[in-house]
Amino acid sequence: MSTLSIIGLPESPFGSEIRSEDIKEALHFFDDWEERYHYIIDLGKELPSMPVAFRTDENFIVGCQSQVWLVCEYDEINNILLMAVDSEAQIVKGLAAIVLSVFNKRTPQDITGVDIEAFFTEIDLFSHLSAQRGNGLRAMVKKILHLAKKYS
């Protein structure tokens, strides 16, 4: 059972129990991209549902092919950003989960220091996504980086 963060977001396992290194290792284990897509969809199923109250225009990611909402809150005591994301598309939820595995529960300084493009290259992600999905993923990352800079 997940706990709630400061503003009532369900706690996500991404960034703590499910880390980017784990995802990278798992993706390299699979022989083809069909298996990898199934794994990515399964990752999306691990995301806690976002309360409808957080599905606002302010949290909406512009540029995504599907509807995506991202909420970040800054935990001052621990100097980390806590994130929640939701989408109605399963593959997009999985892609968002990958992003959270990199950025969630990290300090703003750590977030701004991540070379996310290098990570995406390591897992060979963009060569297997439509341009629209890739743009949506980058829009999500851009919003996270903007918020991290605000608190760093």
Side-chain angles (χ1 to χ4, degrees):
M1 179 174 218
S2 65
T3 59
L4 295 179
S5 64
I6 298 165
I7 62 171
L9 293 174
E11 187 176 332
S12 171
F14 293 92
S16 54
E17 295 105 57
I18 304 172
R19 300 168 309 145
S20 59
E21 296 83 18
D22 303 325
I23 291 173
K24 181 170 54 173
E25 187 177 305
L27 286 171
H28 283 94
F29 173 78
F30 296 112
D31 293 328
D32 62 43
W33 266 93
E34 187 172 332
E35 291 175 333
R36 291 176 185 161
Y37 284 130
H38 288 292
Y39 173 70
I40 291 169
I41 289 168
D42 287 343
L43 287 174
K45 292 175 183 175
E46 296 291 321
L47 283 173
S49 293
M50 179 184 289
V52 176
F54 291 104
R55 292 183 175 206
T56 65
D57 289 344
E58 179 185 340
N59 298 329
F60 187 75
I61 303 290
V62 177
C64 289
Q65 184 175 354
S66 305
Q67 292 187 317
V68 179
W69 297 271
L70 171 74
V71 179
C72 293
E73 71 174 282
Y74 179 60
D75 176 346
E76 258 183 282
I77 295 169
N78 297 303
N79 185 35
I80 57 173
L81 281 175
L82 301 170
M83 300 172 201
V85 67
D86 207 355
S87 175
E88 294 167 358
Q90 289 299 317
I91 188 72
V92 174
K93 284 179 79 159
L95 294 170
I98 291 172
V99 170
L100 260 59
S101 76
V102 175
F103 293 125
N104 194 31
K105 301 176 185 173
R106 294 187 65 183
T107 69
Q109 298 78 13
D110 286 346
I111 291 170
T112 58
V114 169
D115 185 350
I116 192 68
E117 290 296 324
F119 176 71
F120 289 151
T121 299
E122 283 182 62
I123 62 172
D124 194 27
L125 190 59
F126 282 107
S127 62
H128 298 279
L129 295 179
S130 68
Q132 186 88 11
R133 284 238 161 86
N135 289 340
L137 203 54
R138 285 189 172 103
M140 190 182 320
V141 168
K142 183 177 178 181
K143 182 171 183 175
I144 291 169
L145 291 173
H146 172 75
L147 291 166
K149 287 176 185 171
K150 178 179 167 183
Y151 294 109
S152 56

